Amino acid sequence: MFELPKLPYDYAALEPHIDARTMEIHHGKLHNGYTNNLNKAIEGTDLATKSIEEICANAGKHGAAVRNNGGGFFNHRLFWEVMSPNGGTPSTELNAAIMSNFGSMEELKTQFSAAAGTRFGSGWAWLVVHDGNLVVSSTPNQDNPLMDVADVKGTPILGLDVWEHAYYLNYQNRRPDYVAAFWNVINWTKVSELFASAV
Ligand code: MN
């Protein structure tokens, strides 16, 4: 059985960039819902003994309930971890990879923000380790780069939820403002750890 992970900070910790009410609903109701619905979907099947990474890797072979709620469980768990009110800076190794793959932090930010801004409807923007390189991508709905159905496959080390539920209370339809604010709360210490594990 998967369990809703505890938030590593208070609901209000990311204000003013992400408001407490949005965090409370997003974690307590929505992520909780994905977790419960994933458990219901895998109960009594051979998926009940698999890791979430293994479930995602074969998402295209499972039904919509497993794909959507498995993705929802994994994506939000990563999302909470890659944000922090005290996010630090990228490690020397991650910084070198950003320079080598994008040329500058500004260019990474431009590409990531474009992926987040142009994802039509609901979905996610990602920074992915793909064949040892860093690439930016986006996925629809609750899909992610671990999934066999993803256009760009790899290990996600940074993810941004661009569903309206992630920003509408504070930003209404201004998704670009939310995406810009996200850069103030990225947990670079955690992203650097995920990068080190992925390469
Ligand atoms: Mn969400």
Side-chain angles (χ1 to χ4, degrees):
M1 294 282 276
F2 292 100
E3 282 184 23
L4 179 68
K6 257 181 72 80
L7 265 192
Y9 37 75
D10 295 338
Y11 289 136
L14 305 178
E15 289 197 345
H17 308 294
I18 301 184
D19 65 285
R21 183 71 177 134
T22 294
M23 288 299 295
E24 185 179 1
I25 297 168
H26 204 172
H27 177 262
K29 305 279 186 211
L30 294 165
H31 196 190
N32 193 48
Y34 294 122
T35 306
N36 293 337
N37 289 328
L38 171 62
N39 284 329
K40 274 184 218 154
I42 64 174
E43 191 176 10
T45 76
D46 61 352
L47 295 180
T49 60
K50 305 279 192 210
S51 71
I52 191 59
E53 290 80 5
E54 290 172 308
I55 290 172
C56 286
N58 292 296
K61 302 180 188 73
H62 310 314
V66 171
R67 175 173 170 177
N68 294 334
N69 293 296
F73 174 79
F74 175 89
N75 296 349
H76 290 87
R77 188 181 66 177
L78 179 72
F79 188 43
W80 312 139
E81 288 180 347
V82 297
M83 294 191 290
S84 170
N86 308 297
T89 53
S91 66
T92 306
E93 294 78 11
L94 175 57
N95 193 58
I98 290 169
M99 293 307 141
S100 141
N101 289 282
F102 299 99
S104 67
M105 180 60 93
E106 270 313 299
E107 179 60 19
L108 163 60
K109 191 172 170 181
T110 298
Q111 289 189 26
F112 189 92
S113 301
T118 57
R119 166 51 57 191
F120 185 76
S122 298
W124 291 74
W126 305 101
L127 179 62
V128 183
V129 177
H130 168 84
D131 289 343
N133 290 308
L134 287 175
V135 292
V136 163
S137 72
S138 76
T139 53
N141 305 314
Q142 295 295 353
D143 287 356
N144 65 51
L146 296 176
M147 292 185 174
D148 50 355
V149 293
D151 293 336
V152 176
K153 295 175 201 45
T155 306
I157 63 169
L158 178 66
L160 175 60
D161 189 342
V162 296
W163 284 55
E164 283 188 345
H165 69 223
Y167 62 86
Y168 210 85
L169 287 181
N170 197 29
Y171 293 96
Q172 292 81 51
N173 61 327
R174 302 188 311 277
R175 188 193 287 186
D177 291 352
Y178 160 71
V179 173
F182 175 65
W183 288 83
N184 297 306
V185 296
I186 294 177
N187 183 351
W188 287 110
T189 306
K190 182 67 187 180
V191 177
S192 299
E193 284 172 26
L194 293 170
F195 174 71
S197 312
V199 290

